[in-house]
Amino acid sequence: MTSQKYDFRQFQEELARLEQKVEKQQAAKPPGGKPLGKKALAAQRMAMAREEFLALRKRHELTVADVVAFFPEEEGIAYLQDLIAAAQAKPRRSRKA
């Protein structure tokens, strides 16, 4: 972490600001005028959240260990297991006609 004092409360405030920004962007209509579908909207939200989180992590020079350390031990382990499972998940097979 950086040499400056950085606490969990500051991290929560920044995440709250990011969430408010996302909510405002969701309220605005897309440029084409046609509303996005659920999957497209979810993908857009996830991409935006990932981008903002990575910027936040880079700005404060946080490692994965720093991020996981904010959670209680059990939740941190569960979070890491979810990340590993998502990376190794097999794609769903489509139904045969």
Side-chain angles (χ1 to χ4, degrees):
M1 287 184 61
T2 62
S3 60
Q4 298 175 347
K5 180 83 174 169
Y6 184 75
D7 63 358
F8 185 64
R9 191 170 296 158
Q10 183 181 356
F11 184 70
Q12 286 181 321
E13 289 170 0
E14 290 181 8
L15 285 177
R17 279 192 297 253
L18 290 176
E19 288 176 356
Q20 289 174 354
K21 181 180 173 185
V22 169
E23 289 173 0
K24 287 179 185 177
Q25 288 178 350
Q26 286 177 353
K29 288 188 177 181
K34 188 176 183 182
L36 295 174
K38 287 183 180 181
K39 288 184 180 181
L41 187 60
Q44 180 185 21
R45 225 180 303 138
M46 182 60 78
M48 195 177 346
R50 175 183 288 268
E51 179 182 314
E52 291 172 350
F53 175 75
L54 291 175
L56 182 66
R57 198 179 102 201
K58 184 177 180 181
R59 182 173 3 133
H60 295 286
E61 299 175 5
L62 299 173
T63 64
V64 173
D66 296 326
V67 175
V68 172
F70 283 120
F71 300 105
E73 186 176 341
E74 297 82 19
E75 289 181 28
I77 292 170
Y79 174 71
L80 289 175
Q81 288 173 339
D82 289 343
L83 287 177
I84 292 168
Q88 295 176 348
K90 296 180 182 178
R92 293 180 66 187
R93 294 177 57 178
S94 60
R95 289 185 178 174
K96 295 183 179 179

